[in-house]
Amino acid sequence: MASNFPPDPSSVRFGGPWTHRDVHANGIRLHIASAGPEHPDAPLVVLLHGFADFWWSWRHQLTALAELGNHVVAVDLRGYGDSDKPPRGYDGWTLAGDIAGLIRALGHTGATLVGHADGGLVCWATAVLHPRLVRSIAVVSSPHPAALKSSVLRDNTQRRAWLPEFLRDQLPRYPEHRLTRDDGAGAVRILADRGARSWARTAEFADSANRMRSAIQIPGAAHCGLEYRRWAFRSQWRADGRRFMAVMRQPIDIPVVSMRGEFDRYILPATMHRGPQLSPHRRVVTIRDAAHFAHLENPDAVTAEIAKLLAGTDRRRPGRYA
């Protein structure tokens, strides 16, 4: 039964083999769940969730990667969960600045970034805009932003899969209501529509759905999450957006693993493979028995790919590929 009161932001601080912390970076407070050795010599891994989600989405990788000796933090991105929800700052420049500031605030000189969907786009942006701080990136269902734009413009199948909901999210107020009404049913719909159909019948799905539907009802979370998408659309006709996309077309000279669930109906294979010149050291991987939420649907396979990436990059200097 839905509560008469919205969830408190602190409600996302679930107990487990991790520590909840507040970190001040780029002028805001970010909530993180941290696991593993917290000292500068331990490789830092930063996990970034996607649209209508929060840090909990990465719980499997948070603990598994920490057991390998990494300092791992799962972040509530700006506007989500128990992080600050300022009225602005949902542009690519500022979001990359948030993660760059977080890395420095944690006492590290570089990190591997891991992101799903919108969180993956933050990975790409941070790698381009703050290259000295990013050792490598791993993304799930998150093509390079220039490649995604190209696919939506040129590929009818990708356009039909991705564009209608993106355009619907540009409306005022209605998308927020659609996400939060009926006890956050909109977040559950995204999980069900984009996940593998077999996964929707599992206890893992039910648990994730219940936590996501609560987190999206935290005051301001739905609106802030939609502001990511509204900036991405509206900035195309403004100087800052055109400049951002021009900068994003600069190749990144670091290792990248780009993962996509084999049943993903939202981001198609051709889109994930597009633009190899933008990340010449990229490896594209298909995650079996998974769709759009591969890190939840087949967590062991996703963790294994991230571990491979770390094994090859954790001793290299930030911003270099050797």
Side-chain angles (χ1 to χ4, degrees), residues 207-272:
D207 180 58
S208 297
N210 285 332
R211 295 177 194 262
M212 282 178 64
R213 76 190 307 160
S214 176
I216 201 62
Q217 294 179 81
I218 292 171
H223 173 72
C224 293
L226 287 159
E227 286 295 281
Y228 286 65
R229 296 182 159 212
R230 288 166 177 159
W231 179 82
F233 179 72
R234 297 168 188 174
S235 68
Q236 295 180 71
W237 291 274
R238 299 198 302 259
D240 66 322
R242 292 194 296 269
R243 186 161 58 94
F244 177 78
M245 191 55 69
V247 171
M248 287 303 300
R249 290 192 175 94
Q250 298 176 10
I252 57 172
D253 191 31
I254 57 174
V256 176
V257 59
S258 186
M259 292 170 273
R260 174 189 173 274
E262 64 174 325
F263 304 127
D264 193 341
R265 301 175 298 278
Y266 189 64
I267 299 295
L268 305 181
T271 303
M272 293 297 289

Side-chain angles (χ1 to χ4, degrees), residues 36-47:
E38 296 189 11
H39 56 76
D41 292 333
L44 177 63
V45 182
V46 180
L47 307 172

